[in-house]
Structure formats: C-alpha cells, structure tokens
Amino acid sequence: GFILLVLIRTTSAKRFFMILKAIFTLSASKQLMREDYKLNKGSAVLFTIVFVLHFAFFLFEVNEYFGFFHYAFNSFLFYLIIIAFIIITYGIKIIFSKALSSLLLTKNETDEYIFNIFLSTNAAGLFLFPVIVCCEYSQLPAYYFLYTGMSLLLVFYSIRVFKGLAVAYVSGRFSVLHLLLYFCALELLPLIVI
C-alpha cells in the first residue's frame, strides 16, 4: 500500500492534492468531474487499490483483536477473503445504483454520487495507512488505533452520505421522502446486515 501511495504522489502530485481537496468539498469534486477525472484512470485505480488493501487489512486487524470471526485456515487466505468481500460489496452497490439510475432517469446524479463514494473510500484508504502501521508496530495497545480507525471510517462515511444527500437535494429531482428511503435502504441496511 505504501509503495502505491508513493507512486500516486510522485506521478501526479497536483492531482493528488486536488483529490484530497475534493474529498471534503463539493465544489472541488464537481471541478474534478468537469476536468474529466475518470475513475478508471491510473491514479484513481491506484487509490482504489490502496483503499481495498488498507481497509481489508484494517478489518483483518479488527477481527484479530475482537475475534468476531474464527477461522481454521491461513490468515493470508482470510485477508484475501476480506478483499474479495469488499470488492463484491462495492461492486453490487455500484451495479444497483446504476440500475436504479436507469429506472429513475438520474444518470448525472448517480455518476456524481458514485464519484463521491470513490473519493471518500479513497480518502479512507489513505488515512487508514498510519493507523494500520501504528496498530502493527506501536508499543501502545492496539485498541487505541482500532478505535481511531473506526472513527476515521465513520467521518468519511458521514462525509460521503452528506455529499450524496446534497447532490440529490440540489438536483431538485428528489423529495426528502425519496432521500430518506434511499438512505435507509442503501446506506443503513448494508451496515446493519454486516
């Protein structure tokens, strides 16, 4: 993960800081979209890989500390299963959002929402790196870093939800009831199920 972060920073330094700014502000994220920043470009793909690797390792560490799932096989295999679970979960979410956008004729809003999902997850992957390193190598108890990581994830999730609701509300195509139903069905329900 660290090598990928260095690669992103050295190959596209200006874009790196623009992406960091876009995570927190809606205007910067709209500017990135206007500048034709695609999610399949090099730095976006590297950011996504960093997120998947770091988030999976963080979930692995949380499981090791709290013992949610017991497994009788290799730890690395369990880590790979977590990676697959993350990829499948986000894949289903994107496919469902795209299908819903086709039904509701809201392609632009959905594309912006998916873009904001990737921005927030990429930021989470970036900011989880020091948490993971400290959790592994610090002399302090691991739970300090695990709770810090969970707090970071909650902050980035909240930013994502807020920006998604702002995009939908500004578009004027959705009522508050529709936004509430969407939020409950596609944001809260997966968290409760997991």
Side-chain angles (χ1 to χ4, degrees):
F2 179 71
I3 294 169
L4 293 174
L5 287 174
V6 170
L7 185 62
I8 293 168
R9 173 67 175 89
T10 56
T11 58
S12 54
K14 182 182 173 191
R15 185 65 52 139
F16 179 79
F17 291 112
M18 183 64 158
I19 291 169
L20 288 179
K21 185 178 177 185
I23 292 162
F24 300 103
T25 63
L26 202 55
S27 60
S29 91
K30 286 183 184 256
Q31 181 181 350
L32 265 180
M33 287 187 73
R34 279 192 306 269
E35 290 177 3
D36 202 32
Y37 181 73
K38 299 290 184 199
L39 298 174
N40 60 358
K41 287 193 175 179
S43 60
V45 171
L46 289 176
F47 261 122
T48 303
I49 292 170
V50 165
F51 164 72
V52 170
L53 293 176
H54 290 174
F55 186 51
F57 194 78
F58 180 74
L59 291 178
F60 178 80
E61 287 294 320
V62 167
N63 186 63
E64 290 294 307
Y65 186 78
F66 293 109
F68 293 125
F69 299 104
H70 302 286
Y71 52 93
F73 44 84
N74 188 341
S75 296
F76 185 68
L77 181 60
F78 185 64
Y79 175 67
L80 292 177
I81 290 170
I82 295 172
I83 288 174
F85 177 74
I86 292 169
I87 292 169
I88 290 168
T89 301
Y90 277 95
I92 289 171
K93 183 174 185 72
I94 290 169
I95 290 169
F96 190 75
S97 295
K98 288 284 192 180
L100 197 59
S101 79
S102 296
L103 228 89
L104 299 174
L105 304 174
T106 57
K107 182 184 180 328
N108 292 338
E109 291 85 357
T110 303
D111 287 345
E112 190 171 349
Y113 176 68
I114 290 172
F115 185 76
N116 283 316
I117 287 175
F118 275 97
L119 283 178
S120 68
T121 56
N122 292 345
L126 180 68
F127 286 99
L128 274 178
F129 180 69
V131 172
I132 293 168
V133 170
C134 289
C135 191
E136 276 296 306
Y137 298 111
S138 176
Q139 298 299 320
L140 294 172
Y143 64 85
Y144 289 137
F145 303 109
L146 295 177
Y147 285 117
T148 301
M150 287 182 229
S151 299
L152 277 171
L153 290 171
L154 183 64
V155 165
F156 286 116
Y157 183 75
S158 300
I159 290 171
R160 179 178 99 191
V161 168
F162 175 75
K163 285 174 73 175
L165 291 173
V167 166
Y169 188 74
V170 167
S171 76
R173 299 181 71 175
F174 302 100
S175 70
V176 176
L177 178 64
H178 285 116
L179 294 176
L180 183 64
L181 286 172
Y182 171 80
F183 180 72
C184 289
L186 291 180
E187 296 295 339
L188 289 180
L189 188 61
L191 288 177
I192 292 170
V193 169
I194 293 173

